[in-house]
């Protein structure tokens, strides 16, 4: 009997590895499980016939993966969704996207739009100053403005996600440079600020007390705050509002399912899940839960540091190098 | 009778060569080709120029420092504890001997994760405790440094030396030492002039194993170094590949660094073969003799306590940390009951595709890789050990290759070979990891199956043939049953490490093919520390269950034999 067990197990294993549902969609995204998990559960309930899965990593890694897949001639992503807006203009220019005018897109408002409908905005991410309340209490100071990050009280205690890895960090730093110049980052360096890894890790490193302050993404910080982390998220007057575009890959063999997901995401239901997870909805008709400490979208857009998004493509390569040079 | 020119033996030889060429040789050749050939022409200057880039140079330097430091430290600790359990009257020696092997079971990257949680400069629990207690401004320890990486690698690699040396110490002929003693030599002289020289081959063999492993190791430096901009060759390759987005210059740098890894591994293995083949030290007799035992007297209990504390610090503390952090509602909270929950475990076991798939992927990939590699290994070993045909030297040469190829190099090699450039595109599938695992674990299969085959004397097979059995019958009814324990051992020798594999799969995984190691690593990278810890805890449970299973299976085998 034992002899027949092994081949059987092997057969099972391979079967299991290749079993497929009838319709499927794979999203490459920089959104984390605390957001994607809720979207997945609701979408599965709504579309039980679509096998939904996602691959989540920092925007830098997602783009590298995508590029490698294009080289290998095998793109596994049906949908791309992250926050490094210039990448979307770049891929659009390369003809990598399938234009799609979702019926839900009419109610979307954002700081950037694509008239050709190759991508839609699915969320308005905001970044603020996330600080460890225990550590802040120890020095008796609470950061409120961008200038507070230069306070000697926080020397060696500030971390910023690596813009080469994190899309939100890239956009944030580009905005801060736009507003305050490279001089601001030179001063941050002088105050001992460190380049961290991804946007999630800097928040966890702040929660653990390894750092006192990080520039953090709204829903990542709020998720941990809800679970009891000793963190607080504050938004300085000059806000970082980063739209997260979503697009269907031209190479996708699963376009109908991909469209179903985008419709769902842009719908009132999808956007309500987005804001309930702690970030801003892109729809005008979805109210936010102010008790979480979010800033209403209208006000956030008004306070946001402006950026010329299409022009930011050219910025990219040089920006990361300059950032490394200034902060490393 | 004239021998047939092409029979079963030749066919098997050809098949074996073919498998090794496709699975191991071509990927390695592709690495060297891409590193040193530009547009069809050899170009070493360009290779050198790439190596002179400050970040690659830095990675090379760090690799040397870490491998060197880990080797020296592991050797000191390994030799000391080996001596303690085999040459002194330490209480509970037998138990301690087993306990010193436990660090082997703990995957070192999980250990690294635990130490990061405990000793990261300002966030680590121990550092925070010390800073609060002693009212310090600055943290006491920084595990995220070169020294920290060396310390953590040593904790989990010293058993390589320990096993070699304690085995040799026990088998050593004690009369040599007695002779010296009778001639009036003191303990110090005996140790220096007799024992140490006799032990040298074993010590060196263990040390070289540590060096080989540490040089090619990804997990610990990735978790403790990358965040603080400390890279070694394997993590630099990982960074280059992931930052490249298919950019060929980056892949070329990767192949160049890989070539260095292969060459240094080959050099280490060459040294090892020199050490092992030096006949000068063949004084270990097979007879079991009771060696001279040093009386520790007053030091007896302090040294036992030291050993127990060492095990507790390196095994129990990190394991407990992983389980405790896995229960926290969110990272950074204190270990209080109100902050704890089992939700993380149910979430990653039942709700999250990422982790659920990872467990399943690792399980079936290791199962398949172990079964297939074991079978191929048996075939190749059979040709190597049992046949006498022309052209075998080629197989012998190819058979050495898997031993000298680090996991990172294999991964890069299979990427070059199997992502569509040669007609077969396995990119993003489980197959590419499967092919890589076969190459990576072939050495294990070859080692244990050839050892088993060497013990089956040719006369047994010949006797069966003489009685009229066909070659196949002789093989099936005589040889196979005799080498079955060796094959089972090979299976588990591959299955268990493959289950916790990180170095290779981290470069090969696609959205559907994450392994347990990759999932833990990426969760840590994404700042999902509590989930990473919870998954690591589950992985530890699986590994311990696997070990227990092996014990049962192998014991049943011995009893039935």
């Amino acid at each position: 009997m034992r002899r027949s067990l092994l081949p059987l197990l092997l057969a099972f294993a391979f079967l299991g590895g290749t079993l497929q549902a009838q319709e499927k969609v794979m999203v490459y995204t920089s959104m984390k499980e605390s957001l994607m998990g809720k979207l997945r559960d609701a979408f599965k309930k709504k579309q039980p016939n679509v096998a939904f899965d996602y691959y989540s990593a920092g925007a830098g890694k997602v783009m590298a993966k995508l590029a490698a897949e294009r080289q290998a001639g095998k793109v596994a992503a049906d949908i791309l969704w992250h926050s490094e807006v210039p990448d979307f203009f770049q891929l659009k220019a390369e003809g990598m996207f399938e234009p799609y005018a979702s019926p839900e897109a009419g109610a979307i408002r954002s700081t950037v739009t694509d008239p050709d409908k190759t991508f839609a905005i699915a969320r308005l991410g905001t970044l603020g100053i996330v600080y460890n309340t225990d550590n802040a209490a120890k020095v008796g100071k609470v950061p409120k403005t961008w200038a507070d990050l230069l306070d000697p009280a926080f020397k060696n205690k500030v971390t910023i996600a690596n813009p080469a890895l994190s899309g939100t960090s890239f956009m944030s730093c580009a905005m801060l440079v736009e507003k305050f110049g490279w001089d601001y980052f030179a001063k941050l360096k002088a105050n001992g600020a460190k380049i961290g890894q991804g946007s999630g890790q800097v928040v966890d490193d702040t929660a653990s007390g390894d750092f006192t302050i990080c520039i953090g993404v709204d829903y990542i910080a709020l998720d941990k705050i809800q679970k009891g982390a000793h963190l607080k998220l504050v938004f300085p007057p000059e806000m970082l509002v980063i739209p997260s575009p979503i697009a269907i890959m031209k190479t996708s063999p699963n376009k109908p399912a991909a469209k179903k997901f985008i419709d769902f995401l842009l719908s009132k239901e999808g956007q309500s899940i987005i804001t309930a997870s702690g970030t801003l909805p892109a729809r005008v008709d979805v109210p936010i839960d102010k008790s979480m400490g979010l800033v209403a979208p209208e006000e956030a857009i008004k306070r946001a540091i402006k950026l010329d998004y299409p022009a930011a493509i050219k910025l990219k390569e040089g920006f990361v190098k300059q950032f490394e040079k200034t902060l490393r | 009778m004239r021998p047939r020119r092409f029979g079963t033996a030749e066919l098997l030889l050809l098949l074996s060569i073919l498998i090794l060429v496709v699975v191991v040789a071509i990927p390695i050749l592709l690495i060297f080709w891409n590193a040193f050939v530009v547009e069809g022409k050899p170009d070493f200057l360009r290779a050198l120029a790439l190596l002179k880039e400050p970040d690659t140079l830095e990675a090379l330097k760090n690799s040397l420092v870490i491998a060197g430091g880990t080797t020296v430290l592991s050797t000191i600790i390994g030799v000391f504890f080996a001596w303690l359990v085999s040459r002194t009257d330490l209480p509970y020696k037998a138990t301690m001997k087993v306990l010193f092997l436990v660090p082997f079971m703990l995957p070192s990257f999980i250990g690294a994760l635990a130490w990061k949680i405990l000793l990261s400069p300002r966030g680590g629990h121990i550092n925070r405790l010390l800073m609060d207690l002693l009212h310090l401004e600055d943290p006491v320890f920084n595990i995220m440094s070169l020294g920290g990486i060396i310390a953590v690698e040593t904790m989990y690699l010293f058993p390589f030396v320990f096993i070699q040396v304690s085995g040799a110490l026990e088998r050593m002929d004690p009369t040599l030492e007695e002779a010296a003693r009778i001639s009036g030599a003191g303990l110090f002289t005996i140790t220096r002039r007799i024992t140490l020289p006799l032990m040298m081959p074993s010590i060196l063999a263990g040390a070289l194993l540590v060096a080989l492993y540490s040089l090619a190791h990804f997990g610990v430096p990735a978790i403790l170094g990358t965040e603080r901009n400390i890279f070694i060759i394997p993590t630099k390759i990982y960074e280059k590949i992931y930052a490249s987005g298919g950019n060929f210059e980056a892949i070329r740098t990767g192949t160049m660094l890989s070539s260095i890894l292969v060459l240094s591994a080959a050099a280490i293995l060459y040294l090892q073969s020199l050490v092992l083949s030096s006949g000068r030290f063949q004084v270990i007799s097979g007879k079991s003799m009771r060696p001279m035992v040093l009386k520790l007297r007053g030091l007896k209990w302090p040294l036992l306590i030291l050993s127990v504390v060492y095990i507790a610090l390196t095994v129990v503390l990190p394991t407990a940390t992983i389980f405790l952090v896995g229960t926290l509602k969110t990272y950074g909270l204190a270990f209080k009951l109100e902050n704890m929950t089992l939700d993380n475990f149910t979430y990653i076991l039942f709700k999250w595709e990422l982790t659920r798939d990872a467990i399943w992927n690792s399980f079936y990939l290791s199962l398949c890789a172990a079964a297939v590699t074991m079978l191929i290994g048996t075939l190749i070993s059979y040709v190597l050990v049992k046949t006498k045909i022309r052209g075998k030297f080629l197989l012998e040469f190819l058979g050495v290759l898997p031993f000298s190829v680090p996991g990172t190099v294999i991964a890069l090699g299979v990427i070059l070979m199997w992502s569509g450039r040669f007609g077969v595109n396995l990119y993003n599938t489980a197959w590419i990891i499967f092919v890589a695992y076969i190459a990576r674990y072939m050495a294990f299969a070859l080692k244990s199956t050839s050892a088993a085959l060497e013990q089956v004397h040719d006369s047994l097979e010949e006797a069966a043939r003489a009685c009229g059995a066909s070659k196949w019958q002789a093989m099936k009814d005589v040889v196979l049953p005799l080498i079955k324990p060796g094959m089972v051992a090979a299976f588990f020798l591959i299955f268990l490490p493959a289950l916790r594999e990180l170095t290779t799969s981290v470069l090969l995984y696609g959205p559907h093919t994450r392994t347990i190691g990759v999932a833990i690593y990426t969760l840590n990278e994404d700042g999902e520390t509590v989930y990473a810890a919870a998954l690591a805890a589950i992985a530890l449970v699986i590994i311990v269950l696997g070990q227990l299973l092996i014990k049962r299976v192998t014991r049943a085998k011995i009893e039935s034999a």
Side-chain angles (χ1 to χ4, degrees), chain B residues 339-358:
Chain B
N339 291 336
M340 292 182 174
T341 166
L342 287 178
D343 290 354
N344 298 332
F345 291 97
T346 51
Y347 197 76
I348 61 178
L349 276 178
F350 305 110
K351 283 212 70 182
W352 197 351
E353 282 89 347
L354 163 73
T355 45
R356 227 178 40 197
D357 288 357

PDB file of all heavy atoms in Angstrom, chain B residues 339-358:
ATOM      1  N   ASN B 339      -3.131  42.050  24.726  1.00  0.00           N
ATOM      2  CA  ASN B 339      -2.641  42.389  23.396  1.00  0.00           C
ATOM      3  C   ASN B 339      -2.538  41.175  22.487  1.00  0.00           C
ATOM      4  O   ASN B 339      -2.093  41.274  21.367  1.00  0.00           O
ATOM      5  CB  ASN B 339      -1.260  43.037  23.491  1.00  0.00           C
ATOM      6  CG  ASN B 339      -1.329  44.403  24.131  1.00  0.00           C
ATOM      7  OD1 ASN B 339      -2.371  45.051  24.097  1.00  0.00           O
ATOM      8  ND2 ASN B 339      -0.234  44.822  24.743  1.00  0.00           N
ATOM      9  N   MET B 340      -2.912  40.001  23.028  1.00  0.00           N
ATOM     10  CA  MET B 340      -2.655  38.776  22.276  1.00  0.00           C
ATOM     11  C   MET B 340      -3.933  38.194  21.696  1.00  0.00           C
ATOM     12  O   MET B 340      -5.024  38.386  22.216  1.00  0.00           O
ATOM     13  CB  MET B 340      -1.968  37.754  23.159  1.00  0.00           C
ATOM     14  CG  MET B 340      -0.573  38.184  23.516  1.00  0.00           C
ATOM     15  SD  MET B 340       0.224  36.959  24.497  1.00  0.00           S
ATOM     16  CE  MET B 340       1.861  37.634  24.601  1.00  0.00           C
ATOM     17  N   THR B 341      -3.755  37.490  20.590  1.00  0.00           N
ATOM     18  CA  THR B 341      -4.896  36.920  19.889  1.00  0.00           C
ATOM     19  C   THR B 341      -4.407  35.763  19.038  1.00  0.00           C
ATOM     20  O   THR B 341      -3.225  35.679  18.702  1.00  0.00           O
ATOM     21  CB  THR B 341      -5.555  37.982  18.995  1.00  0.00           C
ATOM     22  OG1 THR B 341      -6.447  37.321  18.103  1.00  0.00           O
ATOM     23  CG2 THR B 341      -4.527  38.725  18.151  1.00  0.00           C
ATOM     24  N   LEU B 342      -5.333  34.841  18.702  1.00  0.00           N
ATOM     25  CA  LEU B 342      -4.939  33.760  17.791  1.00  0.00           C
ATOM     26  C   LEU B 342      -5.385  34.073  16.368  1.00  0.00           C
ATOM     27  O   LEU B 342      -5.210  33.268  15.459  1.00  0.00           O
ATOM     28  CB  LEU B 342      -5.534  32.435  18.264  1.00  0.00           C
ATOM     29  CG  LEU B 342      -4.872  31.857  19.517  1.00  0.00           C
ATOM     30  CD1 LEU B 342      -5.560  30.574  19.951  1.00  0.00           C
ATOM     31  CD2 LEU B 342      -3.381  31.601  19.285  1.00  0.00           C
ATOM     32  N   ASP B 343      -5.971  35.267  16.184  1.00  0.00           N
ATOM     33  CA  ASP B 343      -6.517  35.622  14.874  1.00  0.00           C
ATOM     34  C   ASP B 343      -5.482  35.558  13.760  1.00  0.00           C
ATOM     35  O   ASP B 343      -5.791  35.144  12.645  1.00  0.00           O
ATOM     36  CB  ASP B 343      -7.109  37.041  14.905  1.00  0.00           C
ATOM     37  CG  ASP B 343      -8.371  37.084  15.740  1.00  0.00           C
ATOM     38  OD1 ASP B 343      -8.808  35.991  16.173  1.00  0.00           O
ATOM     39  OD2 ASP B 343      -8.903  38.180  15.975  1.00  0.00           O
ATOM     40  N   ASN B 344      -4.229  35.976  14.071  1.00  0.00           N
ATOM     41  CA  ASN B 344      -3.202  35.954  13.022  1.00  0.00           C
ATOM     42  C   ASN B 344      -3.052  34.555  12.439  1.00  0.00           C
ATOM     43  O   ASN B 344      -2.892  34.391  11.237  1.00  0.00           O
ATOM     44  CB  ASN B 344      -1.856  36.403  13.595  1.00  0.00           C
ATOM     45  CG  ASN B 344      -1.907  37.818  14.106  1.00  0.00           C
ATOM     46  OD1 ASN B 344      -2.692  38.621  13.624  1.00  0.00           O
ATOM     47  ND2 ASN B 344      -1.090  38.115  15.099  1.00  0.00           N
ATOM     48  N   PHE B 345      -3.092  33.557  13.324  1.00  0.00           N
ATOM     49  CA  PHE B 345      -2.894  32.185  12.856  1.00  0.00           C
ATOM     50  C   PHE B 345      -4.057  31.728  11.998  1.00  0.00           C
ATOM     51  O   PHE B 345      -3.857  31.146  10.937  1.00  0.00           O
ATOM     52  CB  PHE B 345      -2.693  31.246  14.050  1.00  0.00           C
ATOM     53  CG  PHE B 345      -1.398  31.485  14.763  1.00  0.00           C
ATOM     54  CD1 PHE B 345      -1.347  32.270  15.897  1.00  0.00           C
ATOM     55  CD2 PHE B 345      -0.228  30.937  14.264  1.00  0.00           C
ATOM     56  CE1 PHE B 345      -0.148  32.504  16.542  1.00  0.00           C
ATOM     57  CE2 PHE B 345       0.984  31.168  14.906  1.00  0.00           C
ATOM     58  CZ  PHE B 345       1.021  31.958  16.051  1.00  0.00           C
ATOM     59  N   THR B 346      -5.285  31.971  12.470  1.00  0.00           N
ATOM     60  CA  THR B 346      -6.427  31.537  11.653  1.00  0.00           C
ATOM     61  C   THR B 346      -6.455  32.307  10.340  1.00  0.00           C
ATOM     62  O   THR B 346      -6.760  31.749   9.295  1.00  0.00           O
ATOM     63  CB  THR B 346      -7.770  31.744  12.397  1.00  0.00           C
ATOM     64  OG1 THR B 346      -7.804  33.091  12.864  1.00  0.00           O
ATOM     65  CG2 THR B 346      -7.913  30.808  13.560  1.00  0.00           C
ATOM     66  N   TYR B 347      -6.060  33.569  10.399  1.00  0.00           N
ATOM     67  CA  TYR B 347      -6.086  34.379   9.178  1.00  0.00           C
ATOM     68  C   TYR B 347      -5.122  33.819   8.136  1.00  0.00           C
ATOM     69  O   TYR B 347      -5.496  33.614   6.986  1.00  0.00           O
ATOM     70  CB  TYR B 347      -5.722  35.829   9.502  1.00  0.00           C
ATOM     71  CG  TYR B 347      -6.109  36.802   8.413  1.00  0.00           C
ATOM     72  CD1 TYR B 347      -7.441  37.184   8.256  1.00  0.00           C
ATOM     73  CD2 TYR B 347      -5.171  37.317   7.546  1.00  0.00           C
ATOM     74  CE1 TYR B 347      -7.818  38.060   7.250  1.00  0.00           C
ATOM     75  CE2 TYR B 347      -5.535  38.200   6.537  1.00  0.00           C
ATOM     76  CZ  TYR B 347      -6.853  38.575   6.411  1.00  0.00           C
ATOM     77  OH  TYR B 347      -7.224  39.438   5.408  1.00  0.00           O
ATOM     78  N   ILE B 348      -3.885  33.548   8.536  1.00  0.00           N
ATOM     79  CA  ILE B 348      -2.926  33.111   7.524  1.00  0.00           C
ATOM     80  C   ILE B 348      -3.128  31.651   7.135  1.00  0.00           C
ATOM     81  O   ILE B 348      -2.734  31.240   6.063  1.00  0.00           O
ATOM     82  CB  ILE B 348      -1.460  33.339   7.948  1.00  0.00           C
ATOM     83  CG1 ILE B 348      -1.134  32.575   9.200  1.00  0.00           C
ATOM     84  CG2 ILE B 348      -1.168  34.792   8.139  1.00  0.00           C
ATOM     85  CD1 ILE B 348       0.316  32.752   9.588  1.00  0.00           C
ATOM     86  N   LEU B 349      -3.773  30.868   8.017  1.00  0.00           N
ATOM     87  CA  LEU B 349      -3.994  29.472   7.640  1.00  0.00           C
ATOM     88  C   LEU B 349      -5.214  29.305   6.741  1.00  0.00           C
ATOM     89  O   LEU B 349      -5.239  28.451   5.862  1.00  0.00           O
ATOM     90  CB  LEU B 349      -4.176  28.617   8.895  1.00  0.00           C
ATOM     91  CG  LEU B 349      -2.908  28.126   9.568  1.00  0.00           C
ATOM     92  CD1 LEU B 349      -3.257  27.342  10.815  1.00  0.00           C
ATOM     93  CD2 LEU B 349      -2.086  27.260   8.628  1.00  0.00           C
ATOM     94  N   PHE B 350      -6.233  30.126   6.955  1.00  0.00           N
ATOM     95  CA  PHE B 350      -7.481  29.859   6.260  1.00  0.00           C
ATOM     96  C   PHE B 350      -7.959  30.971   5.338  1.00  0.00           C
ATOM     97  O   PHE B 350      -8.719  30.733   4.419  1.00  0.00           O
ATOM     98  CB  PHE B 350      -8.594  29.545   7.277  1.00  0.00           C
ATOM     99  CG  PHE B 350      -8.227  28.423   8.191  1.00  0.00           C
ATOM    100  CD1 PHE B 350      -7.973  28.647   9.531  1.00  0.00           C
ATOM    101  CD2 PHE B 350      -8.104  27.130   7.696  1.00  0.00           C
ATOM    102  CE1 PHE B 350      -7.609  27.605  10.370  1.00  0.00           C
ATOM    103  CE2 PHE B 350      -7.748  26.080   8.517  1.00  0.00           C
ATOM    104  CZ  PHE B 350      -7.498  26.325   9.867  1.00  0.00           C
ATOM    105  N   LYS B 351      -7.533  32.208   5.574  1.00  0.00           N
ATOM    106  CA  LYS B 351      -8.136  33.292   4.819  1.00  0.00           C
ATOM    107  C   LYS B 351      -7.248  33.916   3.761  1.00  0.00           C
ATOM    108  O   LYS B 351      -7.725  34.411   2.753  1.00  0.00           O
ATOM    109  CB  LYS B 351      -8.597  34.396   5.796  1.00  0.00           C
ATOM    110  CG  LYS B 351      -9.880  34.023   6.487  1.00  0.00           C
ATOM    111  CD  LYS B 351     -10.714  35.239   6.791  1.00  0.00           C
ATOM    112  CE  LYS B 351     -11.314  35.879   5.559  1.00  0.00           C
ATOM    113  NZ  LYS B 351     -12.074  37.083   5.876  1.00  0.00           N
ATOM    114  N   TRP B 352      -5.960  33.919   3.986  1.00  0.00           N
ATOM    115  CA  TRP B 352      -5.087  34.700   3.126  1.00  0.00           C
ATOM    116  C   TRP B 352      -4.446  33.792   2.071  1.00  0.00           C
ATOM    117  O   TRP B 352      -3.673  32.908   2.415  1.00  0.00           O
ATOM    118  CB  TRP B 352      -4.011  35.363   3.995  1.00  0.00           C
ATOM    119  CG  TRP B 352      -3.285  36.477   3.357  1.00  0.00           C
ATOM    120  CD1 TRP B 352      -3.349  36.854   2.044  1.00  0.00           C
ATOM    121  CD2 TRP B 352      -2.379  37.367   3.996  1.00  0.00           C
ATOM    122  NE1 TRP B 352      -2.541  37.929   1.833  1.00  0.00           N
ATOM    123  CE2 TRP B 352      -1.925  38.269   3.000  1.00  0.00           C
ATOM    124  CE3 TRP B 352      -1.893  37.505   5.286  1.00  0.00           C
ATOM    125  CZ2 TRP B 352      -1.018  39.280   3.280  1.00  0.00           C
ATOM    126  CZ3 TRP B 352      -1.001  38.507   5.547  1.00  0.00           C
ATOM    127  CH2 TRP B 352      -0.569  39.400   4.562  1.00  0.00           C
ATOM    128  N   GLU B 353      -4.769  34.042   0.799  1.00  0.00           N
ATOM    129  CA  GLU B 353      -4.232  33.195  -0.286  1.00  0.00           C
ATOM    130  C   GLU B 353      -2.718  33.133  -0.222  1.00  0.00           C
ATOM    131  O   GLU B 353      -2.120  32.076  -0.384  1.00  0.00           O
ATOM    132  CB  GLU B 353      -4.616  33.745  -1.670  1.00  0.00           C
ATOM    133  CG  GLU B 353      -6.027  33.455  -2.111  1.00  0.00           C
ATOM    134  CD  GLU B 353      -6.962  34.541  -1.652  1.00  0.00           C
ATOM    135  OE1 GLU B 353      -6.565  35.365  -0.805  1.00  0.00           O
ATOM    136  OE2 GLU B 353      -8.111  34.575  -2.138  1.00  0.00           O
ATOM    137  N   LEU B 354      -2.110  34.308  -0.022  1.00  0.00           N
ATOM    138  CA  LEU B 354      -0.654  34.389   0.002  1.00  0.00           C
ATOM    139  C   LEU B 354      -0.033  33.299   0.884  1.00  0.00           C
ATOM    140  O   LEU B 354       0.792  32.510   0.443  1.00  0.00           O
ATOM    141  CB  LEU B 354      -0.225  35.771   0.513  1.00  0.00           C
ATOM    142  CG  LEU B 354       1.213  35.932   0.976  1.00  0.00           C
ATOM    143  CD1 LEU B 354       2.158  35.953  -0.189  1.00  0.00           C
ATOM    144  CD2 LEU B 354       1.370  37.203   1.786  1.00  0.00           C
ATOM    145  N   THR B 355      -0.483  33.247   2.145  1.00  0.00           N
ATOM    146  CA  THR B 355       0.145  32.329   3.086  1.00  0.00           C
ATOM    147  C   THR B 355      -0.365  30.899   2.897  1.00  0.00           C
ATOM    148  O   THR B 355       0.409  29.945   2.974  1.00  0.00           O
ATOM    149  CB  THR B 355      -0.135  32.790   4.524  1.00  0.00           C
ATOM    150  OG1 THR B 355      -1.518  33.136   4.628  1.00  0.00           O
ATOM    151  CG2 THR B 355       0.700  34.009   4.848  1.00  0.00           C
ATOM    152  N   ARG B 356      -1.660  30.781   2.613  1.00  0.00           N
ATOM    153  CA  ARG B 356      -2.232  29.448   2.397  1.00  0.00           C
ATOM    154  C   ARG B 356      -1.541  28.783   1.213  1.00  0.00           C
ATOM    155  O   ARG B 356      -1.089  27.642   1.289  1.00  0.00           O
ATOM    156  CB  ARG B 356      -3.723  29.606   2.121  1.00  0.00           C
ATOM    157  CG  ARG B 356      -4.603  28.682   2.893  1.00  0.00           C
ATOM    158  CD  ARG B 356      -6.045  28.961   2.563  1.00  0.00           C
ATOM    159  NE  ARG B 356      -6.241  29.246   1.146  1.00  0.00           N
ATOM    160  CZ  ARG B 356      -7.321  29.835   0.663  1.00  0.00           C
ATOM    161  NH1 ARG B 356      -8.281  30.218   1.460  1.00  0.00           N
ATOM    162  NH2 ARG B 356      -7.447  30.049  -0.621  1.00  0.00           N
ATOM    163  N   ASP B 357      -1.442  29.525   0.104  1.00  0.00           N
ATOM    164  CA  ASP B 357      -0.763  28.992  -1.083  1.00  0.00           C
ATOM    165  C   ASP B 357       0.686  28.675  -0.781  1.00  0.00           C
ATOM    166  O   ASP B 357       1.223  27.679  -1.269  1.00  0.00           O
ATOM    167  CB  ASP B 357      -0.787  30.017  -2.230  1.00  0.00           C
ATOM    168  CG  ASP B 357      -2.172  30.140  -2.825  1.00  0.00           C
ATOM    169  OD1 ASP B 357      -3.068  29.399  -2.386  1.00  0.00           O
ATOM    170  OD2 ASP B 357      -2.353  30.971  -3.731  1.00  0.00           O
ATOM    171  N   ALA B 358       1.333  29.545  -0.002  1.00  0.00           N
ATOM    172  CA  ALA B 358       2.751  29.358   0.271  1.00  0.00           C
ATOM    173  C   ALA B 358       2.990  28.021   0.962  1.00  0.00           C
ATOM    174  O   ALA B 358       3.898  27.277   0.596  1.00  0.00           O
ATOM    175  CB  ALA B 358       3.286  30.502   1.121  1.00  0.00           C
TER     176      ALA B 358
END
